[in-house]
Amino acid sequence: MSRIDYQGVLDEIIDEVQSEFGKGHVASYIPALKRVPPRKFGMAAVTVDGDVFSVGDAFEAFSIQSISKVFTLSMALNAKGVALWQRVGREPSGDPFNSLVQLEHERGVPRNPFINAGALVITDCLVASTVNARRQIIDFIRRRSGNAGLCYDVEVARSEKTHGHLNAAMAYFLKSHDNLNSDVEAVLDVYFHQCAIAMSCVDLARGFLYLANGGDCPLSGVSVHERSRAKRINALMMTCGLYDSVGSFAFRVGMPAKSGVGGGIVGVIPRVLSVAVWSPELDPSGNSHVGTKALELFTTKTGMSVF
Ligand code: GLU
């Protein structure tokens, strides 16, 4: 197979997505996110050999939001093993990521680790199993991305906390079903902070390399997961990583990925690369509108997908 000109592909994509701006809306339910300029666009691809390709605002940090849930799932699986699956499911939700109705219907066992209720259970595992979960989470992500300077955006965390009543309701609901063991406010504090981590596309693409590389982190030289666990996390991204438009994302893009309401999406092509995109305008499901288009162009132009 001839070598792919990744830089050429990214350069074409930034030109071709220009007509897509203005069709989505920046998340406004977290006031600190509303201030982000809507037409930002960055994209980065990092190969498992460590080659980095980037375009646009690929080095500018933004709020990773739900993308953090992949990192915390990795940590919780390493801490708790398969016992975790007694507390959270592995099926797509088919409902909004913050649905209380589904949680009530299913008696406090969230559908999957990437909807908010599931992520709260995962964060609870970390609060219960570590002395300082906030420190452990940021350290884990710094090591995966090779950027020791990553930090929490305290303004975003504060904004989430002030307006996070639905997440608080979910956490108390989980507690009432004995599916949240730690102090509810302590879990919420860690959850709001993990969502408020600021990273660039380059940081995120590097940070997900261990999932593209069978569980081994090429940057730190550490084996984060055995191969089968990395496979399972990728499978969960494929089936649950894009809110309730995961089916059309698979149809259009064809790679395991995770999005966040900050406008980021990170995906992996196993054994080849990870790719991150950022554009803050969201579609009605909560995924970056331009970001989805950019990833669709990426898999089309490179001829790479998992299918
Ligand atoms: N912090 C956001 C929330 O809890 C995360 C949402 C997301 O990115 O999916 O609502």
Side-chain angles (χ1 to χ4, degrees), residues 38 51 67 69 73 82 85 127 138 146 188 201 203 205 230 233 247 253 264 273 277 290 303 307:
D51 294 329
I67 296 169
K69 294 169 183 173
L73 174 63
V82 293
W85 302 123
V127 170
I138 197 77
L188 286 168
C201 290
D203 293 327
I233 294 172
V253 179
L273 55 73
V277 63
V290 182
F307 300 112

Side-chain angles (χ1 to χ4, degrees), residues 132-251:
N132 184 339
R134 263 163 64 172
R135 167 54 69 91
Q136 298 278 332
I137 291 169
I138 197 77
D139 281 353
F140 179 89
I141 299 176
R142 284 173 177 162
R143 282 196 294 270
R144 296 296 75 79
S145 62
N147 184 351
L150 294 180
C151 53
Y152 294 107
D153 182 329
V154 288
E155 196 197 333
V156 174
R158 203 177 305 121
S159 186
E160 294 220 26
K161 192 169 187 163
T162 313
H163 296 84
H165 306 112
L166 191 49
N167 283 322
M170 259 182 280
Y172 280 101
F173 189 84
L174 289 163
K175 186 83 171 170
S176 79
H177 278 275
D178 289 328
N179 202 4
L180 203 128
N181 300 323
S182 315
D183 174 66
V184 171
E185 294 302 321
V187 173
L188 286 168
D189 179 70
V190 174
Y191 174 79
F192 292 137
H193 276 83
Q194 74 179 59
C195 292
I197 292 170
M199 295 174 77
S200 69
C201 290
V202 173
D203 293 327
L204 279 169
R206 283 198 173 119
F208 269 54
L209 268 187
Y210 72 102
L211 293 170
N213 196 38
D216 295 335
C217 175
L219 300 174
S220 61
V222 165
S223 176
V224 181
H225 295 307
E226 60 190 33
R227 186 169 286 276
S228 65
R229 182 163 285 166
K231 177 194 79 174
R232 292 191 164 116
I233 294 172
N234 287 338
L236 284 165
M237 287 201 286
M238 192 83 215
T239 51
C240 312
L242 282 297
Y243 308 119
D244 53 346
S245 59
V246 72
S248 61
F249 186 89
F251 184 84

